[in-house]
């Protein structure tokens, strides 16, 4: 499988972004997520992971957000949970393999289950959207430490765990397992993209 380069992925973002502002928000976030993942990958215990695949997954995971922007330039927050599936559809239309498409559709929260989708009436086809491979889990995990909400901010592991608790203790447990698997990132260290965020890891402990 040929993995697209960062330049190719940036061009894909530029192609699908409805506005320059949307491109800056989403692509910068994706670069930051890669920066977090790259830091975690420096651990010897993760040396066996495919870093190039993780990089592509981080840079592609949120591309579906662009399809949630209306003609008025506003983001459809009510259907935001669909952004992963929309990204999967974009990559499929662009000819990308399932291995890369799954980084879009299987990174939301700490995983979406068929039961959860049905019981909560979520606007998604009932199915399990769970990160399975280590590379998928790392992209999903790294994504949890930065939010695109304005103002965009970094979240410490404890802050994200507190946020998750409203969705059930099982979600908190799943996140705790990810922390044990990959470790906690050091958000006080320089992460690519922080300069665009104002030079500080706001919200990090």
């Amino acid at each position: 499988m040929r993995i697209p380069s960062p330049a190719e992925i940036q061009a894909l973002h530029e192609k699908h972004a409805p506005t320059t502002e949307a491109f800056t928000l989403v692509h910068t976030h994706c670069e930051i997520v890669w920066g977090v993942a790259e830091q975690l990958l420096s651990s010897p215990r993760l040396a066996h992971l495919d870093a190039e695949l993780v990089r592509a997954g981080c840079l592609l995971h949120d591309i579906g957000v662009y399809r949630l922007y209306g003609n008025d330039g506003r983001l459809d927050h009510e259907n935001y949970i669909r952004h992963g599936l929309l990204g999967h559809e974009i990559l499929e239309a662009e000819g990308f393999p399932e291995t890369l498409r799954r980084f879009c559709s299987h990174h939301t929260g700490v995983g979406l289950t068929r039961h959860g989708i049905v019981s909560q009436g979520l606007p998604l086809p009932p199915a399990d959207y769970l990160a399975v491979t280590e590379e998928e889990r790392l992209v999903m995990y790294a994504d949890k430490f930065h939010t695109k909400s304005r103002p965009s901010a970094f979240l410490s592991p404890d802050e994200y765990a507190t946020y998750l608790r409203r969705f059930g203790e099982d979600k908190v447990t799943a996140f705790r397992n990810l922390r044990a698997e990959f470790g906690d990132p050091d958000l006080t260290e320089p992460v690519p993209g922080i300069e665009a965020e104002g030079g500080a890891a706001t919200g990090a402990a």
Side-chain angles (χ1 to χ4, degrees):
M1 180 184 72
R2 193 185 77 82
I3 298 175
S5 69
E8 290 174 303
I9 294 174
Q10 179 172 331
L12 195 65
H13 276 265
E14 292 171 343
K15 175 182 177 180
H16 289 278
T19 64
T20 300
E21 180 184 19
F23 166 79
T24 299
L25 183 69
V26 175
H27 188 257
T28 298
H29 165 74
C30 290
E31 288 187 312
I32 290 172
V33 171
W34 163 234
V36 173
E38 186 178 27
Q39 183 195 102
L40 293 169
L41 282 169
S42 66
S43 169
R45 64 176 175 161
L46 300 181
H48 62 286
L49 269 66
D50 186 335
E52 191 178 2
L53 181 60
V54 171
R55 181 182 65 194
C58 289
L59 296 179
L60 287 167
H61 79 281
D62 263 358
I63 199 164
V65 172
Y66 296 132
R67 289 184 57 182
L68 289 169
Y69 280 90
N71 293 331
D72 59 359
R74 295 185 179 183
L75 188 64
D76 180 3
H77 292 283
E78 289 187 7
N79 285 297
Y80 188 79
I81 200 164
R82 297 186 65 238
H83 78 281
L85 199 59
L86 294 173
H88 189 286
E89 293 174 359
I90 287 174
L91 295 191
E92 184 175 18
E94 293 284 350
F96 285 83
E98 178 71 8
T99 300
L100 291 173
R101 301 199 299 260
R102 283 178 55 90
F103 286 109
C104 295
S105 53
H106 291 68
H107 80 271
T108 303
V110 289
L112 300 172
T113 64
R114 177 187 298 270
H115 176 267
I117 289 168
V118 172
S119 64
Q120 297 175 56
L122 300 178
L124 293 170
D128 290 329
Y129 301 95
L130 302 171
V132 175
T133 68
E134 288 181 89
E135 285 83 3
E136 288 174 357
R137 292 197 300 273
L138 178 55
V139 171
M140 179 176 70
Y141 180 62
D143 181 46
K144 306 292 89 87
F145 299 105
H146 184 260
T147 172
K148 295 184 295 298
S149 300
R150 290 186 176 81
S152 58
F154 285 83
L155 299 173
S156 72
D158 289 340
E159 286 172 328
Y160 188 75
T162 298
Y163 162 78
L164 264 187
R165 187 157 280 113
R166 72 186 71 179
F167 302 107
E169 285 300 320
D170 60 319
K171 301 294 187 183
V172 178
T173 298
F175 183 64
R176 186 181 302 120
N177 291 339
L178 289 169
R179 291 179 70 177
E181 182 177 4
F182 297 115
D184 289 352
D186 183 357
L187 300 178
T188 65
E189 292 296 315
V191 173
I194 287 182
E195 291 78 12
E197 297 293 300
T202 306

